[in-house]
Structure formats: structure tokens, C-alpha cells
């Protein structure tokens, strides 16, 4: 959010920008400061609750913030289970705008379902790159300034890395990064870490294998940033040469004391890991170099051979959609966690919407 909605510093969240703290803190307002629509809608509350600011990158969260988000996510599981008999009205009167400039199924629908499960309403555009004023040349900043006049929170997916930061620097309402090109996907990382905690029972001391398109995959980049918050982590990178993990992530892991290793042997890595996180090779990131895409696709596949060496307690995860990088006969194995992982996205996004708009 823009400077008018800055918060007081508290230790829960790291600061992605010195100008705009993203903290779990009440928002102070002076008589001359513009008040967000969301706060006006909740004016009947006796006192302000701690709230997030924006969700832009995985690095902004520390362990205290993660624990708080995960606690609220567990509460949201109960809210969702009871929503048919007694619908929640937690976010009644709030309106969420989803601006998606790239295709999405799970992220867009889970955000919209999350808002509606909590009693809020949704404005949506599914292909903003083609079916919005962006096709006429309108800048992202102008779009955000317009849309914030209609809504209380914006969920943005964009094809350019850094677009979410630009949107947050423009807006006076909360902005959530739902994926910005090959940059980051912080809400996916949150649901991934939440899934690991729910499936394995711990986050400290895990061994994590990241497999597939590590150069272009914003999900694995954000997950690497987030899992580095925990102790005694080891990460294995398994990918074709053309899509290896970029040096900025490796440098960050080194700076955090996280052990990592590159390997070309998926079976060996799978035998050591608590989590295998498979990803698809992203054809849309290769442009005209289809030859490179074809060379990378299909090199590392999770199949019955991988299941045979995978520890019994371990799980297989995937941000989805998948093509052929996990064979369908893996789906019936209890260690296949990717559809449970997708469902966890609903709870995490419900938690974020609640924290962003009204607090804990």
C-alpha cells in the first residue's frame, strides 16, 4: 500500500521496503490521512485489530508471522467446514478485486472462494491482459488507481516480475501478489510450507527436493525463500541444465546458512527427502526456443520408481497444473499430497484476507 497506509514497526514481519512497512500492527490515521474503504466498512469495531499490509514477497515474513498466519489458517479450516450450515459473515461488506493478466485456475478460484466463504464479494477479470484497458495501453499504475476505487483489496497476477511491488507502491488498499512472471508467488509458498507442516509435522530439519523448472518457477523461488526461515534445512535442486536454479536464490540460501546441493539423480535425492516438490517445465517462458523446452521436458518424472525409494513418511507436492511430470498412477499413493496441498490454498488465502482486512 502507498505511504498513506504505513504502519508502526513491530517485530512480526520483515520489511520488504523501508518506505512501506508490512507489519502486523494497527494502522494509525490522522485527520488528513485518507482512510481505506476496508477500515470505514469495519468502523463499528470497538478497536483496530493487528493487520497485515500487503503480501508481495516471501522474504517479508518471519517465523512469528508465519506461525500467526498458520494459526488463523487452522481456524479457517473449521470455518470452511461449517460454511454450509452457518455461513461466515466475517468479511461481509468487503469487496475483493482479482486482476489476472496470466491464466490461473487454483489461485484465482481459491482466492474468490476464500472471499465468499468469509461472506465477502468479488470483482474479477480472468484475462486482464487481453480483456481490460491494458489492451488499449493503460499502465498498471492507472489500472490499480481505478480499481482501488471500487474495492477494498486487490489480488494481482501479472506477467512481469516486480509488477506486484509497483501495484503496492501505487495503491492505498492492500495488494496481494498472486504471481508476478518468473518472480515470486508468496501465497503459494505460504500454502506449501503450511502443507509441509500439516503433512510431516515439523518444518525444522527437513530435507526438500525441488525438481523441474527451477529457473522460471516462481513457486520454487518463493518456497526457497520461505523455508530458509527454519533450522537445519537441506535443499536438493534437481533440474535440466537449461532451467537450473538461479544464483540469486543460491546466494540467499548461503547468506541464511541453508545447505543446498545440485543433483542430476532424482532417485537418489528422493531416497533422502522428506518432501519432493515437483514442477512442470514452463513452455510459456521459453518464447521461440521450443528446442530448449523439448530438451528439458520429461527429463525428471515422478513415477512408481520414485515411490519405491521415497521414505514412507515423505510426501510428493506439486503447485499444479501438471502435465506428465507426475504419472497418474502416483495419485493413489497416500504420499501424493498435491491435491491436499491445493485445498490448503483455500485456508491460507482465507487467513490472509482476514488478516489483511480486519486482523486476527
Amino acid at each position: 500500500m502507498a505511504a498513506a497506509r504505513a504502519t508502526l514497526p513491530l517485530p512480526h514481519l520483515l520489511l520488504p521496503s523501508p518506505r512501506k512497512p508490512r507489519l502486523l500492527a494497527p494502522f494509525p490515521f490522522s485527520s488528513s490521512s485518507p482512510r481505506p474503504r476496508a477500515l470505514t466498512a469495519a468502523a463499528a469495531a470497538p478497536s483496530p485489530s493487528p493487520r497485515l499490509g500487503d503480501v508481495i514477497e516471501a522474504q517479508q515474513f518471519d517465523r512469528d508471522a508465519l506461525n500467526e498466519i498458520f494459526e488463523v489458517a487452522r481456524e479457517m479450516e473449521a470455518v470452511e467446514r461449517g460454511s454450509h450450515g452457518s455461513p461466515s459473515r466475517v468479511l461481509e461488506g468487503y469487496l475483493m478485486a482479482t486482476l489476472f493478466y496470466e491464466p490461473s485456475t487454483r489461485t484465482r478460484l481459491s482466492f474468490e472462494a476464500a472471499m465468499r466463504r468469509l461472506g465477502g464479494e468479488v470483482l474479477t477479470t480472468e484475462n486482464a491482459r487481453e480483456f481490460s484497458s491494458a489492451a488499449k495501453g493503460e499502465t498498471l499504475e492507472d489500472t490499480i488507481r481505478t480499481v482501488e476505487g471500487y474495492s477494498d483489496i486487490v489480488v494481482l497476477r501479472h506477467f512481469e516480475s516486480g509488477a506486484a511491488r509497483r501495484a503496492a507502491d501505487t495503491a492505498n488498499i492492500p495488494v496481494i501478489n498472486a504471481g508476478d512472471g518468473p518472480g515470486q508467488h508468496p501465497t503459494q509458498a505460504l500454502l506449501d510450507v503450511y502443507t509441509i507442516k500439516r503433512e510431516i509435522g515439523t518444518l525444522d530439519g527437513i530435507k526438500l527436493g525441488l525438481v523441474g523448472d527451477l529457473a522460471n518457477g516462481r513457486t520454487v523461488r518463493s518456497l526457497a525463500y520461505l523455508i530458509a526461515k527454519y533450522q537445519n534445512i537441506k535443499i536438493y535442486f534437481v533440474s535440466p541444465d537449461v532451467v537450473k536454479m538461479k544464483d540469486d536464490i543460491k546466494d540467499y540460501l548461503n547468506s541464511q546458512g541453508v545447505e543446498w546441493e545440485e543433483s542430476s539423480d532424482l532417485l537418489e535425492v528422493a531416497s533422502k527427502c522428506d518432501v519432493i516438490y515437483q514442477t512442470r517445465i514452463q513452455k510459456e517462458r521459453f518464447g521461440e526456443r521450443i528446442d530448449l523446452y523439448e530438451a528439458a521436458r520429461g527429463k525428471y518424472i515422478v513415477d512408481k520408481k520414485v515411490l519405491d525409494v521415497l521414505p514412507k513418511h515423505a510426501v510428493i507436492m506439486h503447485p499444479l497444473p501438471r502435465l506428465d511430470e507426475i504419472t497418474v498412477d502416483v495419485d493413489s499413493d497416500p504420499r501424493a499430497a498435491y491435491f491436499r496441498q491445493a485445498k490448503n490454498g483455500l485456508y491460507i488465502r482465507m487467513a490472509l484476507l482476514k488478516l489483511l482486512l480486519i486482523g486476527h
Side-chain angles (χ1 to χ4, degrees):
M1 295 169 290
R5 282 199 346 105
T7 62
L8 297 174
L10 286 181
H12 287 304
L13 290 182
L14 299 179
L15 307 185
S17 165
R19 186 170 73 84
K20 285 179 51 179
R22 314 293 202 269
L23 302 173
L24 289 171
F27 290 111
F29 294 96
S30 69
S31 59
S32 61
S33 299
R35 296 178 67 88
R37 294 161 52 87
L39 188 60
T40 303
S47 61
S49 299
R51 297 186 296 175
L52 283 166
D54 304 303
V55 176
I56 304 301
E57 59 189 12
Q59 303 96 299
Q60 75 184 80
F61 302 103
D62 65 12
R63 287 186 63 155
D64 288 338
L66 293 172
N67 289 339
E68 185 164 3
I69 292 168
F70 295 162
E71 178 185 341
V72 177
R74 288 299 299 270
E75 295 171 3
M76 294 301 102
E77 293 187 29
V79 170
E80 191 266 343
R81 284 195 299 270
S83 62
H84 299 290
S86 180
S88 174
R89 300 176 64 182
V90 168
L91 295 183
E92 186 176 27
Y94 290 88
L95 192 58
M96 177 184 74
T98 56
L99 290 174
F100 278 65
Y101 291 77
E102 285 191 322
S104 172
T105 300
R106 279 150 295 277
T107 303
R108 184 174 64 86
L109 292 182
S110 64
F111 265 115
E112 294 179 6
M115 191 64 176
R116 290 196 166 104
R117 291 290 191 196
L118 291 172
E121 297 294 333
V122 175
L123 294 173
T124 185
T125 177
E126 183 176 355
N127 188 354
R129 190 174 188 175
E130 183 177 352
F131 299 114
S132 77
S133 291
K136 303 175 184 178
E138 183 174 58
T139 66
L140 175 63
E141 286 79 4
D142 282 0
T143 298
I144 293 298
R145 289 187 184 100
T146 301
V147 171
E148 73 173 348
Y150 309 146
S151 59
D152 302 302
I153 188 168
V154 171
V155 179
L156 174 70
R157 169 166 290 186
H158 204 273
F159 51 89
E160 292 181 354
S161 181
R165 164 70 62 217
R166 289 165 51 203
D169 287 344
T170 301
N172 286 303
I173 62 174
V175 173
I176 300 177
N177 180 4
D180 57 344
Q184 285 212 41
H185 197 344
T187 68
Q188 179 72 45
L190 288 168
L191 76 89
D192 289 341
V193 173
Y194 182 69
T195 298
I196 294 170
K197 173 68 173 176
R198 299 282 276 128
E199 296 284 336
I200 303 298
T202 186
L203 291 164
D204 291 319
I206 69 162
K207 293 181 173 63
L208 170 66
L210 301 180
V211 186
D213 192 341
L214 307 186
N216 300 305
R218 56 195 173 206
T219 61
V220 289
R221 291 174 57 81
S222 292
L223 178 55
Y225 279 126
L226 207 56
I227 204 69
K229 307 295 181 185
Y230 296 90
Q231 301 298 312
N232 301 317
I233 299 295
K234 179 161 185 181
I235 300 178
Y236 295 91
F237 299 131
V238 183
S239 66
D241 288 341
V242 71
V243 287
K244 284 185 175 295
M245 181 60 79
K246 294 179 180 178
D247 288 342
D248 64 327
I249 297 295
K250 297 173 184 176
D251 291 342
Y252 180 82
L253 295 176
N254 289 336
S255 74
Q256 300 300 306
V258 176
E259 184 180 0
W260 60 269
E261 176 183 328
E262 290 186 316
S263 175
S264 60
D265 191 334
L266 177 56
L267 291 179
E268 181 183 8
V269 168
S271 70
K272 302 174 182 178
C273 281
D274 304 291
V275 178
I276 291 293
Y277 192 98
Q278 174 70 296
T279 64
R280 71 182 175 91
I281 305 298
Q282 298 187 34
K283 184 177 181 179
E284 64 271 24
R285 308 294 180 200
F286 283 81
E288 297 180 357
R289 295 303 307 272
I290 300 302
D291 57 321
L292 296 179
Y293 167 73
E294 294 296 343
R297 182 183 176 186
K299 186 167 185 179
Y300 295 107
I301 294 177
V302 173
D303 55 16
K304 289 289 189 180
K305 293 178 183 178
V306 172
L307 290 179
D308 288 343
V309 301
L310 191 70
K312 296 300 182 185
H313 74 277
V315 293
I316 298 166
M317 296 173 60
H318 193 303
L320 303 174
R322 69 168 165 186
L323 300 179
D324 54 4
E325 64 275 2
I326 299 179
T327 58
V328 294
D329 56 357
V330 173
D331 295 356
S332 60
D333 192 287
R335 293 168 291 181
Y338 29 91
F339 294 113
R340 298 192 295 274
Q341 175 188 354
K343 183 62 181 283
N344 286 336
L346 174 65
Y347 308 134
I348 286 292
R349 288 160 181 146
M350 289 173 72
L352 290 173
L353 291 173
K354 180 175 184 289
L355 288 168
L356 283 159
L357 290 171
I358 64 172
H360 196 164

